[in-house]
Amino acid sequence: MALRDSPSSCPALWRWLRCPPAELRLDLVLASGQSFRWRQSSPGAWTGVLAERVWTLRQERGRLWYTVYGEDGPGPETDRILRDYFQLDVRLPALYRAWGAADPLFCRTAAAFPGVRVLRQDPAECLLTFICTSNNHVARITAMIERLCRAFGRRLCSLDQRPFHAFPSLAALAGSDAEAKLRALGFGYRARFVSGAAKAIAEGMGTAGLCRLRDAPYAEARRALCALPGVGDKVADCVCLMALDKAEAVPVDTHVWRIARQRYGAALGARSLTARVYQEIGDFFRELWGPYAGWAQAVLFCADLRKGRDGGSRARRGRSQASRGAGCS
């Protein structure tokens, strides 16, 4: 089956783009809380939904291999979709060098985390997804988005008896019974915001107007997003950075606030992440890292997230070993 085949053994089913690890590390980017629609389907292989297609991606010898499930299969159009999604026209090693020259702390962290780049996502999907991230963690958000897509999205295909669905349309999430269905799916208070934002966009700027924010100045795009239900500064900056081409947007959550305080001494006197402190931290990093500050932040966020996971795994192993030791005594 295609999920288990290596690219070299199935040349007719797979295409590739030249992409060395310094430009992209799938294992870092797809598990770093930017998108929640990818899972590691086998060692080194990632399967997920992009542009209403189901894909499997893997890297091998400086190439990004991929296959697409469906009648059309991979081709020049899917090359374009993938290049756009990973923004492969942005030369990442040059940015790493510039950030490292401006910031020795970044240089020390980034050495172990090459190839972390920012995805260019569908604006509506990105917005409605990140409304679900408030007071949440990656594993739970991933499960919520899976339930959302299964309940409201169009079924695309099934692999190993696992169904894959497209992200729901605005119309589906703006329906009169959408909020109640979302609450039944475990979305809690977020149900009102997801349904409300979908309805506000559908009845207001529309998906076309949301996409046109890519051409608007950063401050204008941010203001427009913050006018939507459930959208505050952090969600707006996530969407600006990951869907609206605002590379200077720096989403500040508890991870980034801790990094700013502990490693850079920024906003040390602040006891809470107020709107003023949020702006201060974003401005600090924009001045330090320049016009692609949001991309640099993504590297440090990924490193902090991975360190937290590794630390949690070590703690769980330690507790398990202690438990086994206690049982043997």
Side-chain angles (χ1 to χ4, degrees):
M1 182 179 172
L3 275 177
R4 300 190 188 95
D5 292 331
S6 69
S8 57
S9 68
C10 273
L13 298 177
W14 293 78
R15 285 175 69 90
W16 59 269
L17 302 174
R18 192 170 302 283
C19 190
E23 289 286 3
L24 172 65
R25 281 272 304 273
L26 289 177
D27 61 318
L28 296 179
V29 174
L30 297 182
S32 65
Q34 291 191 52
S35 172
F36 303 93
R37 306 228 54 202
W38 298 93
R39 66 181 183 91
Q40 195 166 15
S41 49
S42 63
W46 293 82
T47 299
V49 179
L50 166 64
E52 300 195 340
R53 296 170 170 89
V54 179
W55 309 63
T56 293
L57 315 176
R58 64 187 307 138
Q59 290 180 280
E60 186 179 293
R61 294 190 293 274
R63 294 177 175 181
L64 172 60
W65 289 89
Y66 76 90
T67 190
V68 183
Y69 304 94
E71 294 180 2
D72 296 334
E77 173 64 10
T78 50
D79 282 1
R80 185 198 63 76
I81 291 170
L82 211 56
R83 293 192 66 87
D84 181 73
Y85 184 64
F86 287 111
Q87 305 198 69
L88 294 181
D89 290 339
V90 177
R91 299 272 73 88
L92 198 56
L95 288 176
Y96 269 65
R97 288 192 295 271
W99 295 326
D103 177 9
L105 287 176
F106 175 91
C107 203
R108 288 200 291 272
T109 300
F113 293 89
V116 177
R117 57 175 55 245
V118 171
L119 302 175
R120 189 176 194 250
Q121 303 179 55
D122 174 79
E125 178 174 344
C126 185
L127 171 66
L128 296 171
T129 295
F130 273 93
I131 288 175
C132 300
T133 64
S134 61
N135 301 313
N136 223 337
H137 57 79
V138 171
R140 186 160 181 260
I141 299 162
T142 301
M144 288 173 67
I145 299 304
E146 176 76 7
R147 294 196 298 272
L148 175 82
C149 294
R150 287 194 182 195
F152 293 93
R154 180 172 61 88
R155 191 176 185 278
L156 299 173
C157 71
S158 180
L159 300 174
D160 289 337
Q161 299 183 329
R162 178 190 176 97
F164 287 82
H165 294 75
F167 195 84
S169 66
L170 290 177
L173 293 174
S176 58
D177 60 347
E179 181 181 341
K181 285 184 177 179
L182 289 167
R183 287 188 182 276
L185 291 171
F187 277 65
Y189 68 90
R190 303 174 192 88
R192 176 165 58 93
F193 295 137
V194 171
S195 180
K199 186 174 182 180
I201 296 168
E203 295 178 353
M205 69 179 83
T207 53
L210 194 58
C211 287
R212 281 196 294 272
L213 292 178
R214 285 175 168 170
D215 299 321
Y218 165 47
E220 180 183 329
R222 197 165 178 251
R223 279 195 302 271
L225 293 174
C226 285
L228 297 169
V231 179
D233 291 336
K234 194 210 83 170
V235 170
D237 273 335
C238 287
V239 179
C240 281
L241 176 64
M242 302 174 203
L244 298 181
D245 301 338
K246 314 304 180 205
E248 70 270 40
V250 178
V252 180
D253 66 353
T254 54
H255 288 273
V256 178
W257 186 27
R258 184 174 64 250
I259 290 168
R261 287 164 57 91
Q262 294 180 355
R263 301 186 200 174
Y264 292 91
L268 278 177
R271 296 193 176 190
S272 62
L273 189 57
T274 63
R276 181 188 62 80
V277 173
Y278 185 102
Q279 186 67 37
E280 181 182 325
I281 292 172
D283 289 343
F284 171 82
F285 284 129
R286 278 184 281 273
E287 183 175 351
L288 177 65
W289 293 326
Y292 275 79
W295 285 55
Q297 172 269 342
V299 178
L300 295 191
F301 179 88
C302 178
D304 195 67
L305 194 65
R306 180 61 65 94
K307 196 177 300 180
R309 285 175 181 162
D310 293 346
S313 297
R314 284 194 296 271
R316 285 191 293 273
R317 286 196 299 271
R319 286 194 296 271
S320 176
Q321 289 166 359
S323 175
R324 288 197 296 272
C328 292
S329 61

